[in-house]
Amino acid sequence: MNYREEYKSWCTDAYFDEDTKAELKALEGNEAEIEDRFYKKLEFGTGGLRGVIGAGTNRMNIYTVRQATQGLANYILSQNGQEKGVAIAHDSRIMSPEFAREAALCLNANGIKTYLFESLRPTPELSFAVRELGCIAGIVITASHNPREYNGYKVYWEDGAQITPPHDKNILAEVAKVTEYSQVHTMEEDSARVAGLFQIIGTDFDAKYNEQLKKQSIHPEIIKEAAKDMKIVYTPLHGTGNIPVRTVLRELGFEQVYVVEEQKKPDGAFPTVAYPNPEDAKAWTLALELAKKVDADIVLATDPDADRLGVYVKDTKTGEYVSFTGNMSGMLITEYILRERTKNGTMPENPALVETIVTTDMAKAIAADYNTALIEVLTGFKYIGEQIKFFEQTGAHNYVFGLEESYGCLAGTYARDKDACVAVMMLCEVASYYKTQGKTLWDAMVDMYEKYGYYKEDLATVTLKGIDGAQQIQEMMTQFRENPPKELAGHQVLAVRDYKADTRKDMATGEVTKTGLPVSNVLYYELSENAWCCVRPSGTEPKIKFYFGVKGKSLEDATEKLKALEEAMTAGRA
């Protein structure tokens, strides 16, 4: 069927509800919009679905959610996992509760038990629930930090991490087999409840998750010492973080936690921000206004599903609030954990720090300083979660911390995905530690630069939407792959890693070795003077991403080097 035939089918077939038909019929005459909605099926990638909400095969709606869930159900049945069941959570986005319910009822119609959270919950709590309940899989309905028009569907496996090989490819193959809506099963909720297939997870489960968060605290006594004076401003950006973040901070003893009132209530329309992403400076307007009003020490924001944490910290010398990247906040927590666990004798044998290939190289310096193994994985926190599973299976290492540059980290192994709730807790403890020494987190960050080097990183993206966008992105990747640069902004290209071909080529000797990581459409350039850059297509948005890292002699030097490298890599492509 071509896109026009698909459109007509959705407008007339009795399978589709009247609201869907009305939405589509209103588009008659808007050929470009009709084509964009129906020229393809919304792609089920290695993590699940993500797309714009609306009617059509290339949109997030109850029909595309059911279709994907039927493929997942078929795979679960092939693994005899129906009795273990599937845990399901959702965030505050538009249609999230409806998509979660539809996924549950599709699974139920296939004889698979489901455990659905009664209301919105953070993504990391879903990761925790999968293992705590002994489920075969998990689903979370979220589009993370994407714009308000998006929603998504992420799949987890029984280890609590997002699906990795071989399950990702196998599930993708099963989803691809569901080509007709007649193959999709569903049932009424009342019937599913009577059959014991549809079960609700209530607030009693939240206490179990919260206890796991508090177990990660290393020095609760330091928190008590600083709690009365530590002023924290927090915003959940209309998402899921409000209750879990405030609960753990309160129970640890923090007394001065100020929540941005206008952004406290969950709301998928995100009325106070155009883009609910703590990486976006515009999302911080209200939080920084409140911070200045109450003279906060630290300002925190979590994204809608509370797996990413953004940070601003007061610089007492200037009185201004300084934005921290995910690398910066991650390094503060990293060093605190390694240093304090070494001091108090709680560091496990064979400790390991896990980071993605585009995360700061300062992690390597810190890990070496504390005699801790550093393991690099591909971009995506699922690969960090996978390492925890490997450590448990082999006994080779003990996980102590994992982080990625995109504002995500995890202390502890209770979950297998990044957790902004534990990140908030740990960073507030780190801030308390330094406050008792008369220092701010910015002071502590400067100390780390002086000790380990002035590492600085950045990210640039080029968005290419529409039918031609994906093709343009692939053409750009092909160009980089076939014509690698010899130098970038004065840095010699020492080696090129092509993770799609699983090769690392030494540019001086021509020697080619394997990368040792799974196949992925990623190119990484090792540069002279401890610099690097990386390019890859986004897995969730119509973007191509450029990552850069340098090591300077000062903050100013690092900033200049980073700017030059970014310009050299992205010139003519934005």
Side-chain angles (χ1 to χ4, degrees):
M1 246 189 284
N2 62 33
Y3 79 87
R4 256 284 163 189
E5 291 170 330
E6 285 279 15
Y7 171 67
K8 288 180 181 177
S9 174
W10 277 58
C11 287
T12 57
D13 196 316
Y15 181 76
F16 302 102
D17 63 67
E18 292 305 314
D19 287 343
T20 295
K21 291 176 183 176
E23 178 184 335
L24 292 172
K25 287 174 183 176
L27 297 175
E28 192 61 66
N30 188 345
E31 203 63 24
E33 179 67 14
I34 293 170
E35 184 178 12
D36 190 58
R37 288 181 182 230
F38 287 96
Y39 82 96
K40 69 173 185 177
K41 290 182 178 178
L42 186 64
E43 183 179 356
F44 190 96
T46 54
L49 299 170
R50 191 170 297 187
V52 174
I53 303 163
T57 57
N58 188 30
R59 293 289 186 269
M60 282 291 297
N61 51 66
I62 63 170
Y63 304 106
T64 51
V65 166
R66 284 179 188 167
Q67 194 170 21
T69 306
Q70 184 61 54
L72 174 62
N74 292 343
Y75 185 65
I76 290 171
L77 292 171
S78 76
Q79 302 297 302
N80 296 313
Q82 57 268 34
E83 288 299 320
K84 291 182 178 179
V86 177
I88 304 175
H90 67 81
D91 69 3
S92 61
R93 285 182 179 271
I94 295 167
M95 295 297 292
S96 281
E98 291 86 348
F99 293 161
R101 181 177 174 276
E102 290 293 341
L105 294 175
C106 177
L107 291 165
N108 296 158
N110 284 274
I112 299 168
K113 287 183 180 179
T114 57
Y115 303 89
L116 177 67
F117 278 96
E118 62 178 2
S119 60
L120 78 173
R121 293 295 191 281
T123 286
E125 187 169 354
L126 182 278
S127 173
F128 169 65
V130 169
R131 295 174 63 251
E132 183 71 13
L133 296 171
C135 294
I136 187 73
I139 298 169
V140 61
I141 306 297
T142 179
S144 189
H145 58 292
N146 282 48
R148 60 173 67 91
E149 63 267 25
Y150 281 79
N151 212 327
Y153 175 113
K154 292 197 291 191
V155 181
Y156 292 71
W157 202 240
E158 59 186 336
D159 62 335
Q162 289 186 56
I163 48 175
T164 53
H167 304 296
D168 55 355
K169 303 293 186 189
N170 293 341
I171 292 170
L172 193 151
E174 289 295 338
V175 172
K177 291 177 187 176
V178 184
T179 56
E180 303 292 335
Y181 290 106
S182 59
Q183 297 172 264
V184 178
H185 304 298
T186 189
M187 67 189 301
E188 294 297 321
E189 184 179 320
D190 288 345
S191 300
R193 285 177 179 270
V194 169
L197 295 169
F198 187 100
Q199 299 187 31
I200 295 294
I201 303 175
T203 55
D204 56 333
F205 195 86
D206 300 335
K208 295 181 180 180
Y209 169 66
N210 189 53
E211 284 304 310
Q212 292 298 323
L213 298 181
K214 290 189 294 184
K215 284 181 181 178
Q216 308 316 314
S217 174
I218 300 171
H219 289 301
E221 73 282 0
I222 289 176
I223 294 174
K224 289 180 173 60
E225 184 179 345
K228 288 184 179 180
D229 299 323
M230 175 68 62
K231 292 181 180 179
I232 302 163
V233 163
Y234 167 65
T235 174
L237 294 177
H238 303 289
T240 62
N242 184 39
I243 292 175
V245 166
R246 292 170 70 188
T247 298
V248 73
L249 291 179
R250 182 183 66 250
E251 292 186 4
L252 284 170
F254 289 103
E255 298 180 17
Q256 297 201 62
V257 179
Y258 302 86
V259 180
V260 177
E261 193 66 30
E262 301 93 326
Q263 296 174 332
K264 183 168 70 172
K265 183 180 178 181
D267 189 339
F270 305 112
T272 65
V273 287
Y275 187 31
N277 184 355
E279 296 177 67
D280 182 8
K282 294 176 184 176
W284 290 88
T285 302
L286 293 173
L288 290 174
E289 285 178 4
L290 180 58
K292 289 170 184 174
K293 182 178 178 181
V294 302
D295 192 29
D297 296 285
I298 184 170
V299 194
L300 306 167
T302 55
D303 69 341
D305 67 325
D307 63 354
R308 296 173 188 244
L309 172 67
V311 182
Y312 272 77
V313 172
K314 189 173 184 182
D315 178 358
T316 52
K317 294 181 178 65
T318 65
E320 295 300 314
Y321 287 92
V322 181
S323 173
F324 274 31
T325 65
N327 284 317
M328 293 165 71
S329 57
M331 288 302 91
L332 282 165
I333 298 172
T334 297
E335 191 188 43
Y336 178 78
I337 289 174
L338 297 186
R339 183 185 65 232
E340 298 307 311
R341 291 209 178 281
T342 299
K343 275 185 186 177
N344 68 12
T346 59
M347 182 75 89
E349 291 183 2
N350 302 316
L353 176 67
V354 187
E355 68 166 359
T356 66
I357 58 173
V358 295
T359 303
T360 177
D361 279 350
M362 185 185 279
K364 296 179 176 66
I366 297 173
D369 199 36
Y370 290 97
N371 197 28
T372 297
L374 185 133
I375 294 171
E376 285 191 312
V377 297
L378 289 175
T379 307
F381 212 91
K382 65 181 182 178
Y383 295 112
I384 296 176
E386 184 181 42
Q387 287 297 314
I388 301 175
K389 177 182 69 176
F390 291 158
F391 295 162
E392 291 175 345
Q393 290 172 344
T394 66
H397 295 288
N398 283 293
Y399 175 93
V400 289
F401 192 58
L403 71 156
E404 60 182 7
E405 56 77 36
S406 58
Y407 292 59
C409 63
L410 175 67
T413 60
Y414 61 92
R416 304 298 161 91
D417 207 348
K418 54 185 175 285
D419 188 348
C421 303
V422 83
V424 165
M425 187 203 85
M426 290 302 304
L427 199 61
C428 288
E429 179 171 327
V430 176
S432 299
Y433 172 88
Y434 286 111
K435 193 171 183 69
T436 61
Q437 297 185 355
K439 292 182 178 182
T440 67
L441 284 180
W442 175 242
D443 296 329
M445 194 69 236
V446 171
D447 289 346
M448 289 183 69
Y449 284 135
E450 288 289 331
K451 180 178 179 181
Y452 297 110
Y454 287 89
Y455 292 90
K456 198 170 178 65
E457 302 79 27
D458 203 358
L459 166 69
T461 62
V462 176
T463 300
L464 295 164
K465 293 184 178 180
I467 298 171
D468 298 328
Q471 181 62 32
Q472 290 175 275
I473 288 170
Q474 289 310 314
E475 287 173 0
M476 289 171 71
M477 290 299 297
T478 299
Q479 181 68 18
F480 280 118
R481 189 165 271 117
E482 294 179 353
N483 300 287
K486 292 186 171 124
E487 70 88 29
L488 286 164
H491 298 282
Q492 182 183 356
V493 178
L494 303 178
V496 178
R497 302 182 212 161
D498 185 342
Y499 290 96
K500 188 174 182 179
D502 189 24
T503 59
R504 178 191 179 276
K505 183 177 181 180
D506 186 303
M507 302 305 283
T509 66
E511 182 185 6
V512 177
T513 55
K514 290 185 178 295
T515 67
L517 295 182
V519 172
S520 186
N521 191 12
V522 178
L523 291 167
Y524 187 104
Y525 301 101
E526 299 175 23
L527 309 178
S528 58
E529 300 178 61
N530 296 106
W532 58 271
C533 62
C534 179
V535 57
R536 73 176 184 92
S538 169
T540 59
E541 297 175 88
K543 294 178 178 180
I544 187 166
K545 294 189 172 186
F546 300 89
Y547 303 82
F548 317 94
V550 299
K551 183 181 180 183
K553 297 174 184 176
S554 66
L555 277 178
E556 294 76 18
D557 180 49
T559 300
E560 288 176 11
K561 286 180 176 177
L562 193 65
K563 183 179 179 182
L565 186 55
E566 182 173 335
E567 288 175 352
M569 195 67 180
T570 62
R573 298 186 176 92

